Amino acid sequence: MKKYDAKPLPPLDPNMDASKNHYWSYQGLDALLACKKPLTASKDEDLFIAVHQICEIAFHQIIVDLDRTLDALKTALAAPDLPAGAFDEAVYFLDRPIKLWDTVNRTMPILGDMRAFAEFRTSIGPTSGFQSFQFRKIEIMAGVAGAYWNGGTADAGGKVHVAESEFDRRYGADICGAFDRYGAHSLRHYFEALLARAPAGTRAERVRWLDAHAAAAPLMERLRLYEARQATFHQAHLGLAVRQLSIVGVEYGTGGTSFKDYLAKYNREIAPLFPGLATHAAAE
């Protein structure tokens, strides 16, 4: 990998006095910690909020680094050939979301043995992980082509839960914008573009060729890792929801979803993100 020549950048605020910066102010700790506002006296609610906020901060950084990954992939695939190191920049940035998914996947299970969900479940109303726009955006950036979650809270009569209707009202335009922005600028899009660069053959043969290609092999490895981490989150979220709802003694989540059906829908209709990639790896 080429050496990156990092040089000091000027502050965004030219009037800033760097000598006044301290850890607590630079990290905005007062504002950050004040963001956790439980609605009841339950200490488990405090934990519930903290775990989700940690995940949302990780999601925010995943978005930042996926954007940089996608830009690097676009640049690399615009070249007529794929010399050794062609994807070094993309691999460098994609390693970050992979590690951040590890953070999320280690953090969310903390709620697995939480005993007191019933203490605050009714007070939080329809708030639900279903309403995480950042998570939806990450899925779109990865290559989810359609809003599979639409209608995920519908009752027997087809009426959606307020959690879904309010999410659509708040983020509907942003979701459409994300599909427009990343439809031809996603991890899956560039995976397919990379496959098209391989010699003619079956998908498995082209994947095998790329796995042996000096420039493409590191990227193929990272794409496998990325899909595995995102799939782990889906599976773990499903398991966590089922456990917590069984503790409370109900079938439906706060967002009106039947988690056993709704969260499993991703595996039925979307997965895998990179068809043929994991299958070939498993066969080796």
Side-chain angles (χ1 to χ4, degrees), residues 48 51-53 55-56 59 108 111 117 124-137 139 148-149 153 161 163-164 167 171 175 233-234 237-238 240-241 245 253-257 259 262-263:
F48 186 78
V51 165
H52 285 84
Q53 288 183 341
C55 292
E56 288 292 339
F59 288 162
M108 190 61 74
L111 297 177
F117 189 32
I124 66 176
T127 182
S128 166
F130 180 96
Q131 299 174 313
S132 173
F133 169 70
Q134 291 198 119
F135 176 65
R136 299 301 179 201
K137 185 174 181 179
E139 290 191 305
Y148 69 92
W149 54 85
T153 68
H161 192 275
E164 184 171 349
F167 176 79
Y171 292 113
I175 291 289
F233 177 78
H234 275 279
H237 191 196
L238 172 59
L240 174 64
L245 292 177
T254 51
T257 54
F259 280 92
Y262 164 67
L263 289 177

Side-chain angles (χ1 to χ4, degrees), residues 28-42:
L29 291 184
D30 289 344
L32 177 64
L33 298 177
C35 286
K36 191 166 61 171
K37 294 181 171 65
L39 301 177
T40 73
S42 173

Side-chain angles (χ1 to χ4, degrees), residues 67-268:
D67 259 328
R68 301 175 84 177
T69 301
L70 296 175
D71 288 344
L73 287 172
K74 181 178 180 179
T75 298
L77 286 166
D81 55 5
L82 299 175
F87 295 108
D88 281 358
E89 195 80 349
V91 165
Y92 173 78
F93 287 118
L94 188 54
D95 274 339
R96 294 180 183 179
I98 291 168
K99 292 172 182 175
L100 286 161
W101 272 121
D102 286 338
T103 297
V104 171
N105 288 331
R106 285 194 299 267
T107 300
M108 190 61 74
I110 294 172
L111 297 177
D113 60 355
M114 183 179 66
R115 301 176 300 179
F117 189 32
E119 291 180 350
F120 59 91
R121 183 178 185 270
T122 56
S123 294
I124 66 176
T127 182
S128 166
F130 180 96
Q131 299 174 313
S132 173
F133 169 70
Q134 291 198 119
F135 176 65
R136 299 301 179 201
K137 185 174 181 179
I138 289 169
E139 290 191 305
I140 295 167
M141 295 173 79
V144 169
Y148 69 92
W149 54 85
N150 282 348
T153 68
D155 60 19
K159 182 180 179 181
V160 299
H161 192 275
V162 66
E164 184 171 349
S165 60
E166 282 299 297
F167 176 79
D168 287 341
R169 184 185 65 81
R170 174 66 176 83
Y171 292 113
D174 295 314
I175 291 289
C176 290
F179 277 122
D180 289 343
R181 167 82 174 99
Y182 297 105
H185 186 57
S186 68
L187 291 179
R188 180 165 181 165
H189 172 81
Y190 291 121
F191 168 67
E192 295 295 337
L194 185 57
L195 279 182
R197 303 285 285 267
T202 66
R203 177 173 287 262
E205 289 169 341
R206 286 180 287 159
V207 168
R208 189 174 296 110
W209 184 86
L210 290 168
D211 278 337
H213 191 284
L219 177 62
M220 299 287 276
E221 177 189 358
R222 268 51 172 214
L223 291 175
R224 286 189 177 94
L225 292 172
Y226 184 91
E227 172 138 30
R229 299 305 192 274
Q230 187 165 300
T232 294
F233 177 78
H234 275 279
Q235 294 159 5
H237 191 196
L238 172 59
L240 174 64
V242 170
R243 285 196 301 275
Q244 281 301 314
L245 292 177
S246 67
I247 290 173
V248 177
V250 298
E251 285 292 321
Y252 292 89
T254 51
T257 54
S258 173
F259 280 92
K260 294 178 183 178
D261 298 329
Y262 164 67
L263 289 177
K265 189 177 181 182
Y266 178 89
N267 286 332
R268 294 197 308 269

